[in-house]
Amino acid sequence: MFASLAFLAAAQQIVVPLGKPPPQVYHPPAVIQTNGPLFAAACKDWDDWDKPAPPVRIHANTYLVGTCGISSILITGSDGDILIDGGTEKGADLIASNIRKLGFRVTDVKILLHSHEHIDHVGGISKLQRMSGAQLYASAPAAKVFATGAAGTGDPQAGMQKPFESARVDRIIKDGDEVRLGDLMLTAVATPGHTPGALSWHWVSCYSGICRTIVYADSLTPVSRDDYRFSDHPEYLAAYRASIAKIAALDCEILLTPHPSASDMVNRLALAKVENPNACKDYAAGLTKQLDERLAKEAAGQPTGETKEP
């Protein structure tokens, strides 16, 4: 009988392992060394809101999953994922496709966040909320916009864009609030200026002992309809300048922006190098220059209306 069992084991090539099996090596998807140049090639000379772009792993668990013209940031964690910005309604499908290309599930997105409450950045939030079942966290001014889909009267661009599909807001976010999900923690920075409800975000992403502080800084550009003058709204203007100062003061090793072109993402990804400890300070300096130039035009009575971001 024992001989028969031995013969059967040999015939089935039963192998008894000795010791522990070798650990599986994790290979992150869409590494910047490969997908950074792919993004740059796909988006060279293009800033279209809905032009498809490949996903890129920026660092550790932080991924760029938007389009050539509009950023969307996926941060993956132990208890689910966080997604910042949902692009346009059409862009929402492209974002969902990029999440799947990375090997993640859209239903693993548990929290949706936003930068500023315009159709090109949040027009797809409602669709993504339905796809994922995620909760939407928003600033109080942005929550009013999500309820109607239309920019409020305090928005310098009110009336310039068509309404978008409304979305359910589950939590109101204030300046300095922390958003936690498992091993993830993001901190909100209220940065009104481009819109009243704009939020910027900062967090730390780590991989193989290397940690980077990442900032997703709002657009903060002085774009408006033709009849709007920032100088006619001194309190809003003061808050605007304070927002720029907040960005300049942040610990910031990697800068991301709602419009990739605003932070020269094509060139940075072409070189597969996104770290720059002075990025937020440089970004803030450029925004201050734009705002000062805008105010000078207002003082001189020159046309100031803009139609294109950033």
Side-chain angles (χ1 to χ4, degrees), residues 28-46 51-58 64 66-69 98 101-102 260 265-274:
V31 293
I32 193 171
Q33 291 80 5
T34 301
N35 278 41
L38 289 178
F39 182 101
C43 301
K44 182 180 180 182
D45 301 325
W46 290 86
K51 180 173 173 58
V56 183
R57 178 176 179 259
I58 297 299
L64 184 65
T67 64
C68 286
N98 273 343
K101 286 177 183 177
L102 292 169
M265 190 57 73
V266 165
N267 289 329
R268 293 161 68 202
L269 290 180
L271 299 173
K273 182 175 175 55
V274 292

Tab-separated table of all heavy atoms in Angstrom, residues 28-46 51-58 64 66-69 98 101-102 260 265-274:
chain	number	residue	atom	x	y	z
A	28	PRO	N	4.914	48.438	-9.004
A	28	PRO	CA	3.903	49.490	-9.139
A	28	PRO	C	3.534	49.704	-10.604
A	28	PRO	O	4.397	49.647	-11.488
A	28	PRO	CB	4.597	50.735	-8.569
A	28	PRO	CG	5.726	50.212	-7.752
A	28	PRO	CD	6.155	48.947	-8.408
A	29	PRO	N	2.264	49.963	-10.882
A	29	PRO	CA	1.847	50.225	-12.260
A	29	PRO	C	2.165	51.642	-12.702
A	29	PRO	O	2.281	52.546	-11.876
A	29	PRO	CB	0.334	50.005	-12.209
A	29	PRO	CG	-0.035	50.366	-10.800
A	29	PRO	CD	1.131	49.940	-9.947
A	30	ALA	N	2.298	51.832	-14.011
A	30	ALA	CA	2.419	53.162	-14.628
A	30	ALA	C	3.531	53.999	-14.015
A	30	ALA	O	3.351	55.179	-13.731
A	30	ALA	CB	1.088	53.907	-14.535
A	31	VAL	N	4.689	53.403	-13.813
A	31	VAL	CA	5.795	54.131	-13.196
A	31	VAL	C	6.155	55.353	-14.026
A	31	VAL	O	6.043	55.352	-15.258
A	31	VAL	CB	7.025	53.223	-12.988
A	31	VAL	CG1	6.736	52.148	-11.968
A	31	VAL	CG2	7.469	52.603	-14.305
A	32	ILE	N	6.611	56.382	-13.360
A	32	ILE	CA	6.858	57.657	-14.018
A	32	ILE	C	7.957	57.550	-15.076
A	32	ILE	O	7.928	58.252	-16.097
A	32	ILE	CB	7.198	58.741	-12.968
A	32	ILE	CG1	7.153	60.136	-13.586
A	32	ILE	CG2	8.552	58.476	-12.312
A	32	ILE	CD1	7.253	61.243	-12.566
A	33	GLN	N	8.919	56.659	-14.865
A	33	GLN	CA	10.011	56.511	-15.828
A	33	GLN	C	9.499	56.053	-17.192
A	33	GLN	O	10.078	56.392	-18.226
A	33	GLN	CB	11.062	55.526	-15.306
A	33	GLN	CG	11.862	56.028	-14.125
A	33	GLN	CD	11.109	55.904	-12.807
A	33	GLN	OE1	10.002	55.349	-12.754
A	33	GLN	NE2	11.691	56.417	-11.731
A	34	THR	N	8.402	55.286	-17.186
A	34	THR	CA	7.810	54.805	-18.438
A	34	THR	C	6.637	55.669	-18.875
A	34	THR	O	6.591	56.155	-20.013
A	34	THR	CB	7.326	53.350	-18.274
A	34	THR	OG1	8.436	52.525	-17.917
A	34	THR	CG2	6.703	52.844	-19.567
A	35	ASN	N	5.677	55.861	-17.977
A	35	ASN	CA	4.453	56.554	-18.359
A	35	ASN	C	4.571	58.066	-18.354
A	35	ASN	O	3.750	58.745	-18.967
A	35	ASN	CB	3.300	56.113	-17.450
A	35	ASN	CG	2.695	54.804	-17.895
A	35	ASN	OD1	3.412	53.876	-18.281
A	35	ASN	ND2	1.371	54.700	-17.848
A	36	GLY	N	5.600	58.605	-17.685
A	36	GLY	CA	5.822	60.047	-17.761
A	36	GLY	C	6.081	60.491	-19.189
A	36	GLY	O	5.379	61.376	-19.713
A	37	PRO	N	7.064	59.911	-19.874
A	37	PRO	CA	7.283	60.257	-21.279
A	37	PRO	C	6.088	59.939	-22.173
A	37	PRO	O	5.838	60.653	-23.148
A	37	PRO	CB	8.501	59.404	-21.651
A	37	PRO	CG	9.242	59.234	-20.366
A	37	PRO	CD	8.172	59.101	-19.325
A	38	LEU	N	5.327	58.883	-21.854
A	38	LEU	CA	4.130	58.573	-22.640
A	38	LEU	C	3.091	59.691	-22.507
A	38	LEU	O	2.457	60.092	-23.490
A	38	LEU	CB	3.518	57.247	-22.176
A	38	LEU	CG	4.292	55.966	-22.518
A	38	LEU	CD1	3.572	54.749	-21.933
A	38	LEU	CD2	4.451	55.819	-24.035
A	39	PHE	N	2.922	60.205	-21.279
A	39	PHE	CA	2.008	61.336	-21.056
A	39	PHE	C	2.494	62.548	-21.853
A	39	PHE	O	1.705	63.220	-22.526
A	39	PHE	CB	1.943	61.662	-19.568
A	39	PHE	CG	0.999	62.786	-19.215
A	39	PHE	CD1	-0.257	62.531	-18.697
A	39	PHE	CD2	1.370	64.122	-19.397
A	39	PHE	CE1	-1.132	63.563	-18.366
A	39	PHE	CE2	0.514	65.164	-19.072
A	39	PHE	CZ	-0.746	64.886	-18.559
A	40	ALA	N	3.776	62.831	-21.767
A	40	ALA	CA	4.330	64.000	-22.456
A	40	ALA	C	4.127	63.898	-23.965
A	40	ALA	O	3.795	64.890	-24.627
A	40	ALA	CB	5.813	64.134	-22.125
A	41	ALA	N	4.306	62.702	-24.513
A	41	ALA	CA	4.132	62.515	-25.950
A	41	ALA	C	2.670	62.672	-26.357
A	41	ALA	O	2.353	63.295	-27.380
A	41	ALA	CB	4.653	61.140	-26.363
A	42	ALA	N	1.760	62.128	-25.547
A	42	ALA	CA	0.336	62.191	-25.872
A	42	ALA	C	-0.208	63.611	-25.745
A	42	ALA	O	-1.134	63.998	-26.470
A	42	ALA	CB	-0.457	61.256	-24.958
A	43	CYS	N	0.370	64.396	-24.831
A	43	CYS	CA	-0.193	65.706	-24.507
A	43	CYS	C	0.653	66.875	-25.002
A	43	CYS	O	0.363	68.031	-24.666
A	43	CYS	CB	-0.404	65.813	-23.000
A	43	CYS	SG	-1.517	64.546	-22.336
A	44	LYS	N	1.688	66.600	-25.770
A	44	LYS	CA	2.522	67.679	-26.283
A	44	LYS	C	1.684	68.620	-27.142
A	44	LYS	O	0.979	68.194	-28.054
A	44	LYS	CB	3.675	67.109	-27.110
A	44	LYS	CG	4.624	68.172	-27.635
A	44	LYS	CD	5.744	67.556	-28.454
A	44	LYS	CE	6.695	68.634	-28.987
A	44	LYS	NZ	7.764	68.042	-29.826
A	45	ASP	N	1.743	69.898	-26.829
A	45	ASP	CA	1.004	70.935	-27.558
A	45	ASP	C	-0.507	70.791	-27.436
A	45	ASP	O	-1.262	71.370	-28.216
A	45	ASP	CB	1.396	70.950	-29.044
A	45	ASP	CG	2.877	71.203	-29.260
A	45	ASP	OD1	3.452	71.968	-28.469
A	45	ASP	OD2	3.459	70.623	-30.189
A	46	TRP	N	-0.968	70.004	-26.461
A	46	TRP	CA	-2.398	69.813	-26.251
A	46	TRP	C	-2.747	70.156	-24.811
A	46	TRP	O	-2.060	69.742	-23.894
A	46	TRP	CB	-2.802	68.358	-26.525
A	46	TRP	CG	-2.742	67.959	-27.965
A	46	TRP	CD1	-1.646	67.493	-28.636
A	46	TRP	CD2	-3.802	67.970	-28.913
A	46	TRP	NE1	-1.963	67.211	-29.939
A	46	TRP	CE2	-3.279	67.494	-30.149
A	46	TRP	CE3	-5.156	68.327	-28.852
A	46	TRP	CZ2	-4.061	67.372	-31.290
A	46	TRP	CZ3	-5.929	68.206	-29.994
A	46	TRP	CH2	-5.383	67.741	-31.193
A	51	LYS	N	-8.962	65.381	-23.871
A	51	LYS	CA	-8.023	64.560	-24.637
A	51	LYS	C	-7.459	63.472	-23.723
A	51	LYS	O	-6.873	63.774	-22.677
A	51	LYS	CB	-6.889	65.398	-25.214
A	51	LYS	CG	-5.892	64.564	-26.013
A	51	LYS	CD	-4.861	65.420	-26.714
A	51	LYS	CE	-3.777	64.554	-27.359
A	51	LYS	NZ	-4.326	63.593	-28.332
A	52	PRO	N	-7.606	62.193	-24.085
A	52	PRO	CA	-7.125	61.111	-23.212
A	52	PRO	C	-5.623	61.192	-22.974
A	52	PRO	O	-4.849	61.564	-23.860
A	52	PRO	CB	-7.489	59.842	-23.994
A	52	PRO	CG	-8.584	60.252	-24.911
A	52	PRO	CD	-8.279	61.684	-25.286
A	53	ALA	N	-5.232	60.836	-21.774
A	53	ALA	CA	-3.823	60.773	-21.393
A	53	ALA	C	-3.608	59.495	-20.592
A	53	ALA	O	-4.514	59.042	-19.885
A	53	ALA	CB	-3.430	61.986	-20.555
A	54	PRO	N	-2.425	58.900	-20.673
A	54	PRO	CA	-2.172	57.691	-19.871
A	54	PRO	C	-2.018	58.042	-18.400
A	54	PRO	O	-1.589	59.155	-18.058
A	54	PRO	CB	-0.860	57.161	-20.454
A	54	PRO	CG	-0.178	58.377	-21.009
A	54	PRO	CD	-1.270	59.254	-21.522
A	55	PRO	N	-2.350	57.120	-17.513
A	55	PRO	CA	-2.124	57.370	-16.082
A	55	PRO	C	-0.640	57.344	-15.774
A	55	PRO	O	0.139	56.682	-16.470
A	55	PRO	CB	-2.860	56.219	-15.402
A	55	PRO	CG	-2.805	55.105	-16.404
A	55	PRO	CD	-2.899	55.763	-17.749
A	56	VAL	N	-0.249	58.072	-14.737
A	56	VAL	CA	1.167	58.128	-14.342
A	56	VAL	C	1.256	58.027	-12.820
A	56	VAL	O	0.552	58.747	-12.100
A	56	VAL	CB	1.840	59.444	-14.795
A	56	VAL	CG1	3.332	59.414	-14.434
A	56	VAL	CG2	1.661	59.678	-16.277
A	57	ARG	N	2.126	57.147	-12.357
A	57	ARG	CA	2.409	57.074	-10.926
A	57	ARG	C	3.387	58.198	-10.591
A	57	ARG	O	4.557	58.174	-10.981
A	57	ARG	CB	3.022	55.720	-10.575
A	57	ARG	CG	3.398	55.552	-9.103
A	57	ARG	CD	3.901	54.124	-8.883
A	57	ARG	NE	4.310	53.870	-7.515
A	57	ARG	CZ	5.585	53.857	-7.108
A	57	ARG	NH1	6.563	54.077	-7.973
A	57	ARG	NH2	5.872	53.600	-5.847
A	58	ILE	N	2.914	59.214	-9.881
A	58	ILE	CA	3.741	60.366	-9.535
A	58	ILE	C	4.757	59.992	-8.469
A	58	ILE	O	5.955	60.250	-8.598
A	58	ILE	CB	2.859	61.537	-9.066
A	58	ILE	CG1	1.942	62.002	-10.211
A	58	ILE	CG2	3.720	62.695	-8.567
A	58	ILE	CD1	2.668	62.514	-11.434
A	64	LEU	N	-1.568	60.280	-11.242
A	64	LEU	CA	-2.242	61.240	-12.106
A	64	LEU	C	-3.121	60.435	-13.056
A	64	LEU	O	-2.611	59.637	-13.848
A	64	LEU	CB	-1.207	62.058	-12.878
A	64	LEU	CG	-1.690	63.196	-13.775
A	64	LEU	CD1	-2.332	64.302	-12.949
A	64	LEU	CD2	-0.520	63.763	-14.582
A	66	GLY	N	-6.001	61.864	-14.831
A	66	GLY	CA	-6.877	62.731	-15.606
A	66	GLY	C	-6.565	62.724	-17.084
A	66	GLY	O	-6.049	61.745	-17.647
A	67	THR	N	-6.864	63.832	-17.730
A	67	THR	CA	-6.668	63.999	-19.170
A	67	THR	C	-5.472	64.914	-19.426
A	67	THR	O	-4.800	65.359	-18.485
A	67	THR	CB	-7.921	64.604	-19.801
A	67	THR	OG1	-8.123	65.927	-19.260
A	67	THR	CG2	-9.154	63.759	-19.499
A	68	CYS	N	-5.229	65.207	-20.696
A	68	CYS	CA	-4.125	66.125	-21.012
A	68	CYS	C	-4.341	67.507	-20.409
A	68	CYS	O	-3.394	68.150	-19.961
A	68	CYS	CB	-3.985	66.256	-22.531
A	68	CYS	SG	-3.249	64.815	-23.344
A	69	GLY	N	-5.599	67.964	-20.384
A	69	GLY	CA	-5.866	69.325	-19.950
A	69	GLY	C	-6.387	69.483	-18.544
A	69	GLY	O	-6.358	70.587	-17.991
A	98	ASN	N	-8.728	55.150	-16.685
A	98	ASN	CA	-7.340	55.186	-16.204
A	98	ASN	C	-7.186	54.468	-14.869
A	98	ASN	O	-6.169	53.809	-14.622
A	98	ASN	CB	-6.864	56.635	-16.082
A	98	ASN	CG	-6.287	57.172	-17.377
A	98	ASN	OD1	-5.944	56.399	-18.279
A	98	ASN	ND2	-6.164	58.484	-17.484
A	101	LYS	N	-7.032	50.903	-15.739
A	101	LYS	CA	-5.756	50.576	-16.385
A	101	LYS	C	-4.656	50.345	-15.351
A	101	LYS	O	-3.727	49.563	-15.584
A	101	LYS	CB	-5.341	51.697	-17.340
A	101	LYS	CG	-6.134	51.748	-18.632
A	101	LYS	CD	-5.707	52.933	-19.485
A	101	LYS	CE	-6.548	53.046	-20.756
A	101	LYS	NZ	-6.186	54.250	-21.553
A	102	LEU	N	-4.747	51.018	-14.241
A	102	LEU	CA	-3.769	50.849	-13.165
A	102	LEU	C	-3.961	49.541	-12.403
A	102	LEU	O	-3.104	49.156	-11.601
A	102	LEU	CB	-3.866	52.021	-12.185
A	102	LEU	CG	-3.418	53.391	-12.702
A	102	LEU	CD1	-3.821	54.488	-11.727
A	102	LEU	CD2	-1.912	53.416	-12.949
A	260	PRO	N	-2.708	70.597	-15.753
A	260	PRO	CA	-1.306	70.151	-15.788
A	260	PRO	C	-0.357	71.201	-16.359
A	260	PRO	O	0.775	71.334	-15.897
A	260	PRO	CB	-1.363	68.904	-16.676
A	260	PRO	CG	-2.751	68.384	-16.504
A	260	PRO	CD	-3.621	69.611	-16.366
A	265	MET	N	3.621	70.323	-16.486
A	265	MET	CA	3.649	68.879	-16.292
A	265	MET	C	4.197	68.122	-17.490
A	265	MET	O	4.885	67.099	-17.318
A	265	MET	CB	2.236	68.384	-15.954
A	265	MET	CG	2.183	66.937	-15.492
A	265	MET	SD	3.226	66.613	-14.049
A	265	MET	CE	2.289	67.419	-12.762
A	266	VAL	N	3.938	68.577	-18.701
A	266	VAL	CA	4.437	67.864	-19.877
A	266	VAL	C	5.956	67.773	-19.857
A	266	VAL	O	6.538	66.694	-20.029
A	266	VAL	CB	3.937	68.525	-21.176
A	266	VAL	CG1	4.736	68.015	-22.372
A	266	VAL	CG2	2.454	68.228	-21.390
A	267	ASN	N	6.614	68.888	-19.619
A	267	ASN	CA	8.080	68.876	-19.600
A	267	ASN	C	8.631	68.104	-18.409
A	267	ASN	O	9.643	67.400	-18.524
A	267	ASN	CB	8.623	70.307	-19.590
A	267	ASN	CG	8.420	71.007	-20.917
A	267	ASN	OD1	8.421	70.372	-21.967
A	267	ASN	ND2	8.224	72.313	-20.882
A	268	ARG	N	7.969	68.223	-17.264
A	268	ARG	CA	8.437	67.501	-16.083
A	268	ARG	C	8.308	65.994	-16.262
A	268	ARG	O	9.206	65.231	-15.910
A	268	ARG	CB	7.658	67.960	-14.854
A	268	ARG	CG	7.934	69.420	-14.466
A	268	ARG	CD	6.840	69.954	-13.570
A	268	ARG	NE	6.849	69.321	-12.259
A	268	ARG	CZ	5.782	69.279	-11.453
A	268	ARG	NH1	4.627	69.803	-11.856
A	268	ARG	NH2	5.868	68.714	-10.279
A	269	LEU	N	7.182	65.570	-16.832
A	269	LEU	CA	6.980	64.131	-17.029
A	269	LEU	C	7.842	63.591	-18.165
A	269	LEU	O	8.239	62.425	-18.146
A	269	LEU	CB	5.508	63.838	-17.293
A	269	LEU	CG	4.585	64.015	-16.092
A	269	LEU	CD1	3.138	63.710	-16.465
A	269	LEU	CD2	5.021	63.149	-14.912
A	270	ALA	N	8.140	64.426	-19.148
A	270	ALA	CA	9.031	63.991	-20.227
A	270	ALA	C	10.397	63.611	-19.670
A	270	ALA	O	11.052	62.680	-20.162
A	270	ALA	CB	9.177	65.095	-21.272
A	271	LEU	N	10.820	64.316	-18.622
A	271	LEU	CA	12.106	64.042	-17.969
A	271	LEU	C	11.954	63.062	-16.811
A	271	LEU	O	12.960	62.682	-16.193
A	271	LEU	CB	12.711	65.343	-17.448
A	271	LEU	CG	13.031	66.419	-18.496
A	271	LEU	CD1	13.457	67.711	-17.819
A	271	LEU	CD2	14.111	65.933	-19.452
A	272	ALA	N	10.699	62.651	-16.521
A	272	ALA	CA	10.406	61.745	-15.399
A	272	ALA	C	10.967	62.284	-14.090
A	272	ALA	O	11.440	61.543	-13.234
A	272	ALA	CB	10.957	60.349	-15.678
A	273	LYS	N	10.886	63.611	-13.924
A	273	LYS	CA	11.383	64.255	-12.704
A	273	LYS	C	10.389	65.317	-12.272
A	273	LYS	O	10.233	66.352	-12.939
A	273	LYS	CB	12.759	64.884	-12.934
A	273	LYS	CG	13.342	65.537	-11.681
A	273	LYS	CD	14.756	66.030	-11.925
A	273	LYS	CE	15.302	66.786	-10.705
A	273	LYS	NZ	15.246	66.005	-9.472
A	274	VAL	N	9.725	65.062	-11.153
A	274	VAL	CA	8.689	65.992	-10.692
A	274	VAL	C	9.026	66.658	-9.366
A	274	VAL	O	8.322	67.565	-8.931
A	274	VAL	CB	7.325	65.270	-10.571
A	274	VAL	CG1	6.795	64.886	-11.941
A	274	VAL	CG2	7.425	64.044	-9.666
